[in-house]
């Protein structure tokens, strides 16, 4: 009986360690990612809230951060609270594009949310959720960093302040590498 208890405690400790490792690395809990590091970014066009249509292929030559999110998602809202200052303003004037894409929401919902929050950046609309499945099956927020050649160089899932800082550093590193 004592051996069984020790074995159960040991297995529980391993399970907890695995969950902590997954969360701190911001990896999906399952194999939700469709596009991964080293892949070429899937081609797509997205309607922006301002009415423009952006083709990801037209952004070649720039570093691009694609951010999948939704207004109803608490971690997305935490992340977005930092985006304008820590990403949009910080990398203004660089060959960089922040491309947030709202997943499965109507334009009026996204517009009202942006107005309420006071954000100035434009937002892509994946109303029918046709773009998101090119990248993943589930889990938001989800960020994909694309280098100027159109290759995915980094991706992450979820929001954590420390890991968001790592994302910002990876953006800066990708921009600087493109200047070499």
């Amino acid at each position: 009986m004592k051996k069984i208890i020790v074995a159960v405690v040991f297995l529980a400790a391993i399970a907890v360690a695995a969950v902590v490792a997954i969360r701190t690395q911001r990896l999906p809990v399952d194999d939700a990612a469709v596009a991964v590091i080293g892949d070429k970014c899937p081609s797509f066009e997205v309607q922006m809230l301002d009415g423009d249509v952006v083709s990801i292929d037209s952004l070649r030559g720039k570093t691009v951060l694609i951010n999948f999110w939704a207004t109803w998602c608490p971690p997305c809202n935490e992340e977005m609270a930092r985006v304008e200052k820590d990403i949009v303003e910080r990398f203004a004037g660089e060959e960089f594009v922040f491309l947030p894409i709202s997943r499965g929401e109507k334009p009026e919902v996204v517009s009202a949310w942006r107005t309420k929050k006071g954000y100035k950046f434009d937002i892509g609309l994946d109303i029918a959720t046709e773009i998101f499945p090119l990248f993943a099956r589930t889990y938001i927020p989800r960020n994909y960093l694309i280098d100027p050649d159109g290759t995915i160089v980094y991706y992450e899932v979820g929001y954590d302040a420390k890991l968001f800082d790592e994302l910002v550093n990876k953006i800066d590193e990708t921009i600087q590498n493109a200047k070499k």
Side-chain angles (χ1 to χ4, degrees):
M1 181 69 171
K2 197 173 192 180
K3 287 182 180 180
I4 293 173
I5 292 172
V6 170
V8 168
V9 169
F10 179 74
L11 291 174
I14 290 173
V16 168
V19 168
V20 168
I22 287 169
R23 287 183 177 224
T24 59
Q25 292 180 34
R26 296 178 77 175
L27 297 174
V29 178
D30 67 5
D31 61 352
V34 173
V36 296
I37 294 171
D39 288 354
K40 285 294 184 184
C41 180
S43 291
F44 65 88
E45 290 185 343
V46 63
Q47 168 110 24
M48 303 302 287
L49 198 54
D50 71 3
D52 288 343
V53 174
V54 172
S55 164
I56 191 67
D57 296 333
S58 73
L59 300 177
R60 291 280 162 91
K62 297 182 180 192
T63 298
V64 179
L65 177 64
I66 301 170
N67 170 265
F68 292 103
W69 68 284
T71 61
W72 50 262
C73 166
C76 300
N77 279 282
E78 281 185 75
E79 184 173 70
M80 286 296 195
R82 294 191 56 191
V83 163
E84 191 137 24
K85 179 180 179 227
D86 294 345
I87 292 179
V88 176
E89 291 177 9
R90 176 173 175 175
F91 298 112
E94 298 286 354
E95 291 293 311
F96 172 76
V97 174
F98 174 59
L99 185 59
I101 301 175
S102 172
R103 189 182 82 167
E105 297 184 289
K106 295 180 180 176
E108 53 273 11
V109 171
V110 176
S111 181
W113 176 88
R114 184 176 71 170
T115 299
K116 178 181 175 185
K117 298 289 185 178
Y119 298 139
K120 298 175 186 88
F121 52 83
D122 204 4
I123 297 171
L125 303 166
D126 188 10
I127 299 167
T129 315
E130 295 172 339
I131 300 167
F132 183 76
L134 300 173
F135 291 85
R137 288 182 275 286
T138 189
Y139 300 123
I140 55 172
R142 182 178 290 271
N143 290 297
Y144 281 87
L145 185 61
I146 315 301
D147 74 7
D149 295 326
T151 302
I152 298 168
V153 294
Y154 183 81
Y155 81 96
E156 63 180 17
V157 181
Y159 173 75
D160 173 271
K162 180 181 170 193
L163 294 173
F164 184 86
D165 292 340
E166 289 178 23
L167 170 64
V168 172
N169 290 336
K170 188 66 177 177
I171 294 167
D172 187 48
E173 177 186 314
T174 304
I175 290 170
Q176 297 312 314
N177 285 342
K179 291 179 180 180
K180 294 179 181 175

